[in-house]
């Protein structure tokens, strides 16, 4: 699409999780990482940062305890944020389903 480049961030949702886990598994197979080790995020390794306890496995299982901030992204009105997951799972589509 015009304007989309390799640097454009796009929502991938669960597809992104699957691709990330698959590609990461190749790094584990090659011995680059071990899933039971701390996540290799330098900012989390500072003294006293509780995120240092988050393991790679926790991130892959989406059980890190980190807060999902999608509810802070304004979607419909600039003055009100709407949780994206709420829209996906609870708001009825305005499109006709008979097309």
């Amino acid at each position: 699409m015009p304007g989309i480049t390799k640097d454009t961030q796009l929502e991938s949702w669960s597809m992104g999780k699957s691709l990330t886990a698959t590609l990461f598994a190749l790094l584990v197979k090659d011995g680059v990482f071990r899933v039971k080790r701390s996540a290799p995020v330098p900012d989390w390794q500072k003294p006293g940062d509780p995120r240092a306890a988050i393991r790679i496995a926790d991130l892959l299982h989406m059980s890190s305890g980190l807060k999902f901030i999608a509810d802070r992204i304004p979607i419909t009105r600039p003055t009100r944020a709407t949780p994206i997951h709420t829209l996906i799972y609870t708001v009825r589509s305005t499109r006709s389903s008979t097309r």
Side-chain angles (χ1 to χ4, degrees):
M1 169 176 236
I4 303 294
T5 70
K6 66 177 183 61
D7 298 315
T8 303
Q9 292 184 9
L10 301 170
E11 295 288 347
S12 61
W13 297 99
S14 294
M15 178 184 64
K17 293 184 289 188
S18 299
L19 289 173
T20 299
T22 300
L23 294 172
F24 200 84
L26 296 174
L27 293 171
V28 170
K29 179 183 172 194
D30 291 344
V32 177
F33 290 103
R34 292 170 131 183
V35 295
K36 293 189 178 187
R37 293 238 170 119
S38 288
V41 181
D43 284 348
W44 297 1
Q45 306 310 316
K46 296 176 183 170
D49 192 327
R51 296 174 298 180
I54 297 173
R55 301 170 307 148
I56 293 170
D58 299 325
L59 295 173
L60 291 170
H61 292 136
M62 303 213 115
S63 60
S64 67
L66 296 173
K67 184 176 181 178
F68 182 62
I69 60 168
D71 60 343
R72 296 184 191 160
I73 301 169
I75 303 231
T76 55
R77 291 178 260 161
T79 58
R80 182 174 176 197
T82 304
I84 292 173
H85 280 87
T86 300
L87 289 175
I88 291 172
Y89 299 115
T90 63
V91 178
R92 183 163 57 172
S93 174
T94 57
R95 294 183 188 180
S96 171
S97 60
T98 58
R99 281 192 207 177

